[in-house]
């Protein structure tokens, strides 16, 4: 399969414009132009696609309708009275229960285990089935002579439109160099220069080359390293295919464990824990506003739902990240990520007429908005399945960097498109924004604490560090930095916490009463756990 005939005229215009574009640098947008783009075209500004929450700690706040439905839903558990006797006899007992087996969960488990805590990981799918595994472009850290955590801090704040929680950004950038060293010590293999120094590249919105990469498999390399380290430790207990469906609390509202559902046996089990770390990741599989997504199959926002019902406050839940370059063709890979690294090393974004329309390394929200604008103007290509997109001209990489550059730097992309007969060394990719990241989540402090005793949150399930837009490479950094912090803090809290580990579901009973008082039905249940792609009868 290559590109069909109805797309060839546009392809010819792209090829014809390359000579001109070789010496053409598209200017960066002014602050005013960026603001106009965002307000005019970014999905976060489509008021009709949002709902106002009517119950819970964030009552009165707005969030996408798909998430609001789950946050205001009833628990999946049966009536609490029927479970009380079972809850008092837990199946598992540990110091720290980590819900989620991605990068943040594994980093937390390793650090807590190092501190001598009894650790259990309960993960929805297999260990490592997470957005961490699917991240491609790189991980940021200011560890070069021309860089510093202070400069990194300014970049992060600017990328987040200065809405970020400053303490969280300070923690992120300060811990970053140590986090890279820790990953290397565990066995992560980053790209190196001939002299052995770290190879680094630019990302959108960054003022320094601080992106550490492992070709375009960076997330997979980090997840491999963390997963293998967890599996090598027989002191860390692991329950796979066992998502949490409810948190447990004592009579003071503090979290004391969780109810898990074994997906293979369809059977509940109860875990008592002194501290619970929610590391469940994002919610891209809710397909906000009908967007395709780059997220893994289990990314359905479970952690937000569980924490919210237990009384945790959420932050920045009105902003999602739509990665500007998701695959728009072929249909088989619709929405799959085309890493920002493609633009970092020289590919240009051009419309159907072969014209550049945005500086390729603006922040992700700005680039995504510009692509949506071009499509609304009709300067896009429409595929046989009625998907719209613009061109990401990858052959420009070879023109500027020499033959072999694409295969050397982007092996995952070469394989992803090559399976469908598209040679990205010679042909551009067709791309359109894809739902990529949950900018907000459970509100945390720099030590990963929430407003609920006994509950910590780390990684994409948390909110605040990225403000209203995340920069490339800071998600992998986020899961490592705050996963590590959560593990250390949880181990310390577990040593101090004794005597208040009563297991109960009073918060669920209160939740159900609140729903009833607000006139909200119980037909919708949450957490969703897995998306439903079955065809509904018309």
């Amino acid at each position: 399969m290559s590109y069909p005939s109805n797309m060839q005229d546009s392809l010819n215009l792209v090829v014809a414009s390359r000579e001109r574009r070789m010496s053409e640098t598209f200017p960066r947008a002014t602050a005013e132009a960026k603001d106009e783009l965002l307000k005019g075209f970014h999905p976060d500004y489509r008021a009709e696609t949002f709902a106002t929450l009517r119950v819970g700690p964030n009552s009165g706040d707005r969030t996408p309708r798909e998430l609001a439905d789950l946050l205001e839903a009833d628990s999946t558990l049966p009536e609490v009275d029927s479970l009380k006797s079972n809850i008092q006899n837990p199946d598992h007992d540990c110091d720290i229960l980590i819900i989620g087996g991605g990068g943040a969960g594994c980093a937390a488990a390793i650090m807590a285990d190092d501190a001598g805590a009894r650790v259990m990981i309960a993960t929805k799918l297999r260990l490592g089935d997470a957005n961490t595994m699917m991240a491609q472009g790189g991980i940021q850290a200011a560890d070069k002579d021309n860089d510093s955590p202070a400069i990194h801090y300014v970049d992060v704040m600017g990328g987040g439109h200065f809405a970020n929680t400053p303490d969280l950004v300070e923690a992120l950038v300060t811990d970053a160099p140590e986090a890279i060293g820790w990953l290397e010590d565990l066995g992560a293999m980053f790209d190196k220069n001939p002299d052995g120094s770290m190879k680094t590249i630019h990302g959108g919105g960054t003022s320094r080359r601080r992106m550490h990469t492992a070709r375009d498999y960076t997330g997979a390399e980090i997840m491999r390293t963390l997963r293998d380290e967890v599996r090598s430790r027989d002191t860390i207990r692991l329950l796979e295919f066992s998502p949490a469906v409810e948190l447990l609390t004592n009579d003071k509202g503090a979290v004391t464990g969780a109810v898990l559902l074994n997906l293979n046996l369809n059977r509940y089990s109860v875990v008592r824990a002194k501290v619970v770390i929610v590391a469940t990741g994002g919610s891209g599989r809710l397909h906000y506003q009908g967007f395709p997504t780059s997220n893994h199959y289990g990314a359905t926002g479970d952690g937000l739902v569980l924490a919210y019902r237990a009384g945790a406050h959420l932050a920045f839940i009105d902003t999602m990240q739509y990665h500007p370059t998701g695959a728009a063709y072929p249909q088989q890979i619709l929405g799959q990520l085309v890493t920002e690294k493609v633009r970092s090393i020289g590919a240009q974004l051009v419309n159907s007429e072969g014209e550049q329309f945005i500086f390729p390394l603006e922040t992700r929200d700005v680039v995504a908005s510009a692509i949506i604008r071009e499509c609304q103007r009709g300067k896009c290509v429409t595929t046989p399945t009625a998907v719209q997109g613009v061109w990401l001209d990858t052959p420009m990489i070879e023109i500027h960097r020499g033959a072999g550059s694409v295969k050397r730097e982007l092996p995952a992309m070469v394989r992803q498109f090559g399976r469908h007969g598209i040679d990205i060394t010679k042909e551009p990719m067709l791309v359109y924004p894809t739902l990529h990241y949950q900018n907000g989540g459970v509100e945390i402090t720099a030590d990963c604490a929430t407003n609920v005793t006994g509950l910590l949150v780390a990684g994409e399930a948390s909110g605040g560090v990225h403000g209203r837009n995340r920069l490339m490479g800071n998600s992998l950094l986020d899961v490592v930095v705050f996963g590590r912090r959560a593990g250390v803090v949880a181990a310390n809290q577990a040593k101090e916490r004794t005597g208040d580990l009563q297991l109960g579901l009073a918060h669920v009973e209160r939740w159900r009463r609140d729903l009833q008082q607000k006139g909200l039905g119980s037909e919708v249940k949450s957490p969703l756990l897995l998306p439903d792609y079955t065809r509904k009868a018309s």
Side-chain angles (χ1 to χ4, degrees):
M1 177 194 296
S2 189
Y3 292 109
S5 56
N6 72 309
M7 298 165 68
Q8 289 299 323
D9 288 345
S10 179
L11 274 171
N12 292 339
L13 293 175
V14 172
V15 173
S17 69
R18 279 184 189 142
E19 185 174 357
R20 183 190 77 242
R21 289 187 284 114
M22 283 178 61
S23 57
E24 177 184 84
T25 301
F26 199 88
R28 288 183 178 271
T30 64
E32 293 76 15
K34 292 177 187 178
D35 193 51
E36 184 178 345
L37 259 179
L38 293 172
K39 290 180 178 178
F41 301 97
H42 195 276
D44 282 353
Y45 288 87
R46 295 175 182 169
E48 71 279 6
T49 67
F50 286 77
T52 300
L53 293 173
R54 294 160 288 178
V55 66
N58 287 76
S59 181
D61 291 351
R62 67 179 206 129
T63 196
R65 294 183 181 278
E66 297 86 350
L67 182 56
D69 288 345
L70 296 184
L71 291 175
E72 294 184 333
D74 190 9
S75 172
T76 60
L77 292 181
E79 290 302 315
V80 170
D81 286 343
S82 66
L83 294 170
K84 283 183 177 177
S85 59
N86 293 333
I87 289 171
Q88 300 311 315
N89 299 291
D91 302 280
H92 307 282
D93 213 313
C94 60
D95 292 329
I96 301 167
L97 171 64
I98 300 171
I99 303 173
C106 286
I110 294 165
M111 297 301 287
D113 184 64
D114 284 346
R118 296 175 302 141
V119 180
M120 171 176 280
I121 298 176
T123 186
K124 183 189 298 188
L125 301 173
R126 300 166 299 178
L127 186 70
D129 283 347
N131 283 344
T132 305
M133 177 66 78
M134 304 174 77
Q136 297 169 336
I139 177 171
Q140 287 202 47
D143 56 4
K144 293 294 180 73
D145 291 341
N146 70 335
D147 203 359
S148 71
I151 299 173
H152 189 181
Y153 178 94
V154 173
D155 285 349
V156 176
M157 293 295 291
H161 300 288
F162 297 97
N164 323 50
T165 304
D167 288 350
L168 299 183
V169 181
E170 181 181 359
L172 181 80
V173 302
T174 302
D175 288 9
E178 181 183 344
I180 295 293
W182 181 72
L183 289 170
E184 268 213 296
D185 288 345
L186 291 178
M189 295 181 287
F190 293 105
D191 296 333
K192 300 288 185 67
N193 295 311
D195 64 359
S197 62
M198 284 280 192
K199 182 184 289 187
T200 52
I201 63 173
H202 265 304
T206 61
S207 60
R208 297 290 188 275
R209 295 180 185 272
R210 70 171 70 94
M211 202 71 56
H212 299 67
T213 60
R215 299 297 192 270
D216 55 349
Y217 290 106
T218 311
E221 174 60 12
I222 290 173
M223 192 69 254
R224 175 198 66 80
T225 301
L226 297 174
R227 180 195 61 207
D228 290 356
E229 182 66 21
V230 167
R231 286 198 179 280
S232 72
R233 300 185 179 208
D234 56 12
T235 47
I236 298 176
R237 288 184 288 169
L238 173 64
L239 294 177
E240 295 182 304
F241 300 103
S242 298
V245 294
E246 204 63 65
L247 295 175
L248 294 168
T249 54
N250 64 16
D251 55 5
K252 297 177 182 176
V255 170
T256 54
V259 179
L260 311 180
L261 176 64
N262 185 306
L263 295 179
N264 291 321
L265 303 176
N266 196 31
R267 182 181 300 165
Y268 293 120
S269 64
V270 173
V271 182
R272 178 166 56 198
K274 296 177 180 178
V275 184
V276 173
I277 301 173
V278 167
T280 51
S283 56
R285 288 287 165 174
L286 300 185
H287 293 284
Y288 301 121
Q289 302 185 28
F291 272 81
T293 185
S294 63
N295 283 194
H296 81 104
Y297 191 62
T300 51
D302 301 351
L304 273 62
V305 169
L306 300 181
Y308 191 65
R309 257 200 306 261
H313 193 268
L314 308 181
F316 295 96
I317 53 169
D318 62 335
T319 172
M320 304 293 162
Q321 182 166 88
Y322 299 83
H323 195 291
T325 55
Y329 184 87
Q331 181 72 21
Q332 295 94 321
I333 58 171
L334 179 66
Q336 286 189 22
L337 184 64
V338 174
T339 172
E340 190 168 309
K341 184 179 180 182
V342 178
R343 286 174 283 134
S344 297
I345 62 175
Q348 295 173 338
L349 283 163
V350 294
N351 61 26
S352 58
E353 298 174 10
E355 304 165 330
Q356 290 194 79
F357 57 88
I358 191 72
F359 178 72
L361 290 181
E362 298 285 7
T363 55
R364 287 177 171 177
D365 53 353
V366 171
V367 179
S369 299
I371 292 172
I372 293 170
R373 179 195 63 192
E374 292 301 293
C375 290
Q376 290 188 12
R377 288 176 172 176
K379 293 188 175 185
C380 61
V381 176
T382 302
T383 73
T385 54
V387 174
Q388 294 183 327
V390 299
W391 297 111
L392 183 57
D393 196 12
T394 44
M396 292 297 288
I397 298 172
E398 303 263 301
I399 291 171
H400 285 295
R401 289 175 169 250
S405 297
V406 170
K407 289 182 179 178
R408 182 177 65 252
E409 298 288 343
L410 303 167
M413 293 290 93
V414 169
R415 292 186 181 96
Q416 179 169 296
F417 283 84
R419 285 195 299 268
H420 304 285
I422 296 171
D423 182 354
I424 65 170
T425 67
K426 299 175 182 176
E427 299 174 289
M429 307 170 179
L430 194 73
V431 296
Y432 189 79
T434 184
L435 181 55
H436 183 56
Y437 194 79
Q438 179 180 280
N439 287 328
V442 183
E443 188 172 56
I444 62 169
T445 63
D447 60 3
C448 302
T450 68
N451 62 300
V452 178
T453 301
L455 179 65
L456 305 180
V457 179
E460 192 175 350
S462 71
V465 67
H466 305 296
R468 306 197 65 80
N469 177 66
R470 177 180 63 78
L471 295 185
M472 172 192 181
N474 281 341
S475 58
L476 287 176
L477 183 59
D478 180 354
V479 301
V480 177
V481 165
F482 289 101
R484 278 164 46 90
R485 283 187 169 226
V488 172
V489 171
N492 290 333
Q493 289 187 1
K495 292 174 185 176
E496 299 170 357
R497 191 175 184 195
T498 56
D500 63 347
L501 296 180
Q502 168 198 3
L503 301 175
L505 288 164
H507 69 285
V508 176
E509 295 178 289
R510 286 194 300 272
W511 181 259
R512 285 174 167 158
R513 287 196 299 270
D514 290 345
L515 290 179
Q516 193 172 32
Q517 289 173 3
K518 295 290 185 180
L520 299 174
S522 58
E523 296 81 13
V524 179
K525 309 283 186 180
S526 65
L528 180 63
L529 298 186
L530 296 171
D532 182 5
Y533 291 114
T534 57
R535 292 183 180 273
K536 303 294 191 297
S538 57

